[in-house]
């Protein structure tokens, strides 16, 4: 019954991104309008601080307001998200996603979005946005095995509207569940290819150069890979346990964790680790505490860290 109830939630997360720190605070109101229709209203603040003056300086804070309408139907789900994002500029992100089950084994998912946040680089994280279109197929090979394919095309721009280039992303993932009951145990292998068509930053007009106020003094001209990286592949494996309890209700306090060795074709070998605790304190609530760190992730060669705390109360 809790899955179809109203609830309020609060989240706090701290991220060390290698050159910049972020502290994010979210307040969420979830309204269960009917068993199939729900509305989420979310207010978020992001406070940023530069930690390496040779990478970025004076990154802007952000405020976001978001409304998410979710419709669950007999053979899938449709989600509409509209936001207001106030940071480097004021933008209005919008996203429409739809999942359709074709039969008991096969389903497809499509996403269309505009002015969405993007994190291809630190400068795009604070001053950029993207337009995206993606499609994915998921096939349930057996009760314990799942295979998924994803392809997306993105158009990147500064929040001033200056065009930066395009990207195409293709990914494959295989997942095997060793144990479904708690403590659950899953293993997955993944591969993705990322290809970019980049515009030379020197071609930006005067109105597109406002991003330079976030660069170190006397930084000079920036290269073609300043906003978007070189083409690369990213692959690896992941072993995880109880990860669904980071969001799902559990009366008992349960640990959850994941570990993944990875390989980035440009940055070399890396890893990702996450662990946490989640469970109920007063029967109709959910508390989750987690920490994670990674090296040579999909966008950064530095070690990145994050710590988060979330609490949800159903009523």
């Amino acid at each position: 019954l809790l899955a179809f109830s109203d609830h309020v939630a609060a989240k706090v997360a701290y991220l060390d991104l290698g050159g910049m720190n972020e502290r994010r605070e979210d307040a969420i109101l979830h309204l269960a309008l009917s068993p199939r229709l729900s509305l989420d209203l979310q207010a978020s603040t992001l406070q940023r601080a530069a930690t390496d003056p040779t990478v970025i300086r004076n990154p802007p804070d952000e405020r976001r307001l978001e409304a998410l309408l979710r419709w669950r139907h007999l053979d899938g789900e449709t989600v509409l998200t509209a936001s207001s994002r106030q940071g480097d500029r004021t933008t209005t992100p919008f996203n429409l996603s739809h999942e359709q089950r074709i039969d008991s084994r096969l389903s497809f998912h499509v996403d269309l979005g505009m002015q969405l946040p993007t994190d291809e680089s630190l400068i795009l994280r604070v001053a950029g946005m993207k337009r995206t279109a993606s499609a994915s197929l998921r096939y349930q090979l057996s009760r314990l095995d799942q295979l998924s394919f994803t392809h997306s095309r993105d158009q990147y721009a500064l929040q001033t509207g200056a065009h930066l280039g395009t990207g195409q992303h293709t990914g494959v993932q295989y997942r095997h569940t060793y144990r479904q009951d708690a403590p659950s145990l899953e293993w997955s292998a993944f591969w993705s290819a990322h290809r970019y068509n980049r515009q030379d930053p020197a071609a930006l007009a005067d109105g597109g150069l406002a991003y330079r106020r976030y660069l170190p003094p006397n930084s000079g001209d920036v290269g073609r890979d300043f906003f978007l990286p070189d083409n690369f592949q990213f692959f690896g494996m992941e072993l995880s346990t109880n990860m669904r309890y980071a969001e799902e209700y559990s009366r008992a306090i349960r640990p959850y964790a994941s570990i993944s060795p990875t390989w980035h074709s440009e940055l070399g070998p890396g890893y990702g680790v996450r662990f946490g605790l989640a469970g109920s304190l007063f029967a109709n609530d959910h508390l989750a505490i987690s920490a994670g760190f990674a090296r040579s992730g999909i966008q950064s060669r530095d070690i990145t860290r994050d710590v988060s705390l979330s609490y949800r109360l159903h009523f």
Side-chain angles (χ1 to χ4, degrees), residues 127-141:
M129 59 184 181
K130 69 178 178 180
R131 178 180 296 177
T132 187
S134 69
S136 62
L137 280 173
R138 184 178 63 206
Y139 186 72
Q140 198 73 33
L141 298 167

Side-chain angles (χ1 to χ4, degrees), residues 157-173:
L158 293 171
Q159 293 175 28
T160 58
H163 179 68
L164 299 175
T166 61
Q168 295 190 57
H169 313 279
T170 303
V172 180
Q173 183 183 54

Side-chain angles (χ1 to χ4, degrees), residues 56-86:
I56 195 169
R57 64 168 183 163
N58 301 324
D61 296 338
E62 278 191 25
R63 294 183 181 273
R64 300 181 188 177
L65 296 175
E66 180 177 283
L68 183 151
L69 185 66
R70 186 186 307 272
W71 175 40
R72 298 179 178 90
H73 34 93
L74 293 178
D75 54 359
E77 181 178 84
T78 302
V79 179
L80 175 65
T81 307
S83 310
S84 173
R85 180 187 181 196
Q86 299 176 349

